[in-house]
């Protein structure tokens, strides 16, 4: 059976859930091989066998941390040339898409982004125009390079050999053109990652100020949810930019999305419209967010949300 | 500094967007079109750089005849001139092919910087800067929320999932910007009038040395094989708070087996 390369997304050696989802998906397409790159790769490599990786290609070259995406694409290109995989799967986040793009040019592959599913015939399903149209797309020539959205496949454990192979690569000058000189962490720790969370609670301009975001955080914590924000809230400095949901923020597709004090502008919808269940809390009955809410509560968030948090805590006993 | 800004004409996000039944490509003809929103920020950033250090701003668009409206808008904001790549052979090109065509046109231009938007609202791929960097061998500075240019070097804050990275590279480089970067200006009346007489070069694929079998739907490496319009999301139950709103929401969540 031909290999399917899966680029593992990890933070200093801890694989993100999406990596296990991709390995689970890869098992339906061929023989999954994990590709683990960068600082902490060896630690992450130990963990992916449990999700079916037969081979694990590892590279911890310093260039992977100090230059933007070029070196990653180079290593994948080398593996594509050597192994002729059936497909390459990458997580559909900003970096995954960019690595996929550069890889497509390097190996003459075809690129599909934001897949929510891939069939054994390598047909990718995508939802476009804010979820209004479902398309099936296929790579017609070259290696299929497919980026897959988090939460598309439930991760299922299955033991694989997990044989580790070190990969060396020579990087071109172009790979090393953009130097990462500093990495700044602004995110608030302790909550699930926004892109991967199965529940997201977001606050908007209706929150009024930064302090009030603790109301949303409390609700999120009782639900084990991630916290998001509209652009109005991030622009005002009430919540960190990387928590912005929307066209130019993160795209989320959780089981449950709760929009608190958010009007539902088209750019916000673009990032959350494909959530399975949507709940909106807004005092304006005309707010467009109600058009797509499965459950809409017209009321003042300062009354409704604390009561909701309390009620959930009570029900959890 | 000479800057090329990539601007794309897209269907208005507020309009009902469709794929065509016959060739399954985006219906660009029957909908209202606008300049891709984030590209306005790209134009603005170029104009600010020009105001700070001189040089010329050139708009580059690949798209059908009517994309010229979008070019005019960018010129009316203050760009100096424009290049429009337009040819029926380009129809149906995917992102990888589009980057090939745009890279060919870039070969004919002199630039210190290429600026594009971080994402087009129709494709939502966010890959153009990466594709062009790979094709041109120039540094990729993508997803910038802040840019500083100093002499021959450029430094950005690249938005990440946890914060931001500082990324630096020498010019010439390929930059993409997110909407945090600035506030785009509105074209002034004077700007609109001036745009009418600004130089606009129209290129066919032959003019740009683009090989016909490397672009267009027939040779696209990725293609839509099937599509289905989903019924629009139905609005659900709307309840007014009577003092027990929080409890009502909790009851709904329980009915959905979420809590
Ligand atoms: C290029 C571009 C990109 C963009 N990208 C994004 C993006 O990625 N994400 C994004 O979110 N936006 C984005 N926007 C901005 C978008 O257009 C909206 O401006 C933004 O989403 C509005 O945020 P909001 O809903 O929080 O604020 P508002 O539209 O001001 O809505 C606030 C809502 O809170 C309600 N409210 C107020 N007080 C209370 C209360 N006490 N109780 C209950 N409800 C209350 C009000 O009724 C109102 O509906 C983008 C815009 C542009 C031009
Ligand atoms: N046909 C095109 N002509 C000019 N610029 C384009 C074209 N397609 C994409 N771009 C640029 O690439 C950016 C990102 O597009 P995308 O990668 O398709 O999401 C856009 O914001 C534009 O700046």
């Amino acid at each position: 059976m031909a290999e399917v390369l899966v680029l593992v997304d990890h933070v200093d050696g801890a694989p993100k859930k999406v990596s296990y989802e991709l390995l689970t998906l890869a098992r339906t397409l061929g023989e999954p091989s994990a590709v683990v790159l960068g600082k902490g790769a060896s630690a992450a490599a130990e963990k992916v066998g449990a999700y079916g990786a037969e081979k694990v290609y590892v590279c911890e070259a310093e260039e992977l941390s100090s230059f933007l995406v070029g070196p990653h694409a180079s290593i994948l290109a080398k593996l594509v040339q050597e192994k002729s995989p059936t497909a390459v799967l990458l997580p559909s986040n900003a970096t995954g898409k960019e690595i996929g793009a550069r890889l497509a040019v390097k190996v003459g592959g075809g690129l599909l982004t934001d897949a929510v599913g891939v069939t054994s015939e390598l047909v990718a399903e995508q939802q476009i125009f804010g979820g209004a149209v479902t398309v099936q797309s296929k790579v017609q020539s070259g290696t299929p390079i497919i980026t897959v959205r988090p939460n598309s496949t439930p991760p299922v454990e299955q033991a694989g050999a997990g044989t580790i192979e070190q990969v060396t690569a020579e990087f071109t000058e172009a790979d090393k053109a953009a130097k990462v000189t500093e990495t700044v962490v602004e995110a608030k720790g302790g909550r699930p990652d926004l892109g991967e969370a199965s529940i997201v609670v977001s606050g908007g301009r209706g929150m009024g100020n930064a302090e009030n975001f603790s109301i949303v955080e409390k609700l999120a914590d009782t639900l084990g949810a991630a916290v998001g924000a509209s652009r109005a809230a991030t622009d005002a400095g009430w919540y960190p930019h990387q928590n912005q949901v929307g066209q130019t923020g993160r795209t989320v597709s959780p089981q449950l999305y709760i929009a608190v004090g958010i009007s539902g502008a088209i750019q916000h919808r673009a990032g959350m419209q494909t959530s399975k269940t949507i709940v909106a809390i807004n005092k304006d009955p005309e707010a467009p967010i109600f058009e797509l809410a499965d459950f809409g509560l017209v009321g003042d968030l300062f009354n409704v949300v604390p009561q909701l948090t309390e009620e959930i805590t009570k029900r959890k006993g | 500094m000479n800057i090329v800004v990539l601007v794309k004409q897209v269907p208005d996000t507020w309009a009902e967007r469709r794929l065509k039944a016959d060739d399954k490509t985006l219906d660009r003809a029957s909908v209202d079109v606008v300049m891709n929103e984030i590209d306005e920020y790209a134009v603005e950033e170029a104009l600010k750089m020009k105001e700070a250090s001189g040089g010329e701003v050139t708009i580059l668009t690949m798209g059908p005849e009517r994309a010229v409206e979008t070019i005019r808008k960018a010129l009316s904001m203050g760009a100096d001139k424009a290049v429009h790549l337009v040819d029926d052979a380009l129809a149906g090109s995917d992102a990888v092919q589009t980057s090939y065509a745009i890279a060919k046109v870039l070969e004919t231009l002199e630039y210190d910087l290429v600026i594009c938007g971080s994402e087009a609202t129709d494709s939502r791929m966010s890959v153009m800067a990466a594709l062009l960097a790979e094709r041109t061998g120039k540094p990729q500075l993508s997803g910038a929320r802040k840019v500083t240019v100093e002499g021959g070097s450029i430094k950005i804050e690249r938005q990440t999932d946890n914060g931001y990275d500082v990324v630096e590279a020498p010019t010439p480089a390929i930059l993409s910007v997110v909407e945090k970067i600035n506030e785009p200006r509105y074209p002034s009346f004077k700007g609109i009038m001036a745009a009418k007489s600004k130089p606009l070069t129209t290129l066919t694929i032959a003019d740009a040395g683009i090989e016909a079998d490397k672009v267009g739907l027939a040779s696209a490496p990725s293609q839509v094989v099937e599509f289905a319009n989903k019924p629009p999301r139905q609005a659900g139950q709307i309840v007014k708070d009577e003092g027990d709103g929080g409890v009502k929401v909790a009851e709904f969540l329980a009915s959905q087996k979420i809590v």
Side-chain angles (χ1 to χ4, degrees), chain B residues 8-210:
Chain B
K8 187 181 190 185
Q9 187 179 59
V10 295
D12 193 342
T13 2
W14 290 102
E16 192 191 323
R17 293 170 290 176
R18 280 183 292 259
L19 295 181
K20 289 182 283 177
D22 50 358
D23 66 359
K24 307 185 184 69
T25 61
L26 177 60
D27 187 345
R28 296 183 185 277
S30 71
V31 286
D32 287 343
V33 285
V34 292
M35 184 192 302
N36 181 43
E37 220 167 8
I38 303 171
D39 298 351
E40 293 182 27
Y41 295 73
V43 174
E44 176 66 33
E45 200 57 23
L47 295 175
K48 279 171 61 182
M49 288 179 185
K50 176 189 156 160
E51 282 155 12
S53 58
E56 256 190 337
V57 175
T58 306
I59 301 302
L60 170 55
T61 290
M62 160 172 150
E65 215 74 57
R66 73 192 287 208
V68 75
E69 301 154 22
T70 291
I71 292 177
R72 289 282 174 225
K73 172 156 186 196
L75 291 173
S76 66
M77 286 173 74
D80 299 291
K81 56 191 173 90
V83 179
H84 184 189
L85 177 64
V86 46
D87 199 307
D88 288 344
L90 291 163
S93 297
D94 72 4
V96 175
Q97 291 172 307
T98 301
S99 73
Y100 159 73
I102 290 179
K104 283 305 257 185
V105 179
L106 286 176
E107 279 174 20
T108 69
L109 302 171
E110 263 177 46
Y111 59 87
D112 302 294
L113 203 55
V114 175
I115 311 185
C116 53
S118 61
E119 169 175 305
T121 55
D122 53 357
S123 72
R124 299 208 63 202
M125 288 184 77
S126 303
V127 290
M128 193 50 73
L131 289 166
L132 287 175
E134 185 63 38
R135 292 210 182 266
T136 59
K138 308 236 157 40
Q140 170 190 332
L141 295 167
S142 51
R145 67 181 202 190
K146 189 172 169 211
V147 182
T148 353
V149 186
E150 260 177 28
S153 130
I154 170 161
K155 186 160 142 180
I156 66 159
E157 280 183 21
R158 169 185 163 89
Q159 185 83 52
T160 63
D161 290 351
N162 309 311
Y164 64 91
D165 285 348
V166 179
V167 188
E168 293 181 49
T171 54
I174 315 289
L175 173 71
S176 76
V177 299
V178 300
E179 98 288 353
K180 304 270 181 233
I181 196 134
N182 57 41
E183 210 35 71
R185 66 194 68 185
Y186 288 103
S188 64
F189 179 69
K190 216 175 113 214
I192 293 167
M193 296 316 287
K196 294 186 172 146
S197 54
K198 285 181 177 170
L200 166 64
T201 311
T202 303
L203 300 178
T204 63
I205 61 166
D207 295 335
I210 293 165

Side-chain angles (χ1 to χ4, degrees), chain A residues 169-184:
Chain A
E170 274 156 37
F171 302 115
T172 64
E173 282 311 305
D175 290 338
K176 299 187 285 182
K179 191 165 172 50
V180 180
T181 53
E182 201 185 340
T183 294
V184 180

Side-chain angles (χ1 to χ4, degrees), chain A residues 152-173:
Chain A
S152 298
T153 316
V156 180
E157 284 192 59
Q158 181 186 303
T163 314
I164 292 177
E165 265 180 51
Q166 297 293 330
V167 185
T168 51
E170 274 156 37
F171 302 115
T172 64
E173 282 311 305

Side-chain angles (χ1 to χ4, degrees), chain A residues 98 102 131-132 134 136 138 140 179 181-182 184 186-187 241 244 248 267 270 273 275-276 293 296 298 307, chain B residues 37-38 124 134 140 142 162 164 166 168 179-180 221 223 225-226 228 230 233 236-237 239 241 243 246:
Chain A
E98 290 178 345
R102 298 190 71 129
T134 305
Q136 263 74 40
K138 195 160 187 199
Q140 308 288 4
K179 191 165 172 50
T181 53
E182 201 185 340
V184 180
E186 293 178 322
H241 286 315
Q244 181 174 317
T248 43
Q267 297 90 352
Q273 205 150 17
S275 305
K276 311 286 175 302
V298 182
Q307 191 182 71
Chain B
E37 220 167 8
I38 303 171
R124 299 208 63 202
E134 185 63 38
Q140 170 190 332
S142 51
N162 309 311
Y164 64 91
V166 179
E168 293 181 49
E179 98 288 353
K180 304 270 181 233
Q223 284 175 12
V225 288
E226 238 179 285
K230 288 207 296 190
R233 210 180 170 111
Q237 203 182 341
V239 175
D241 185 21

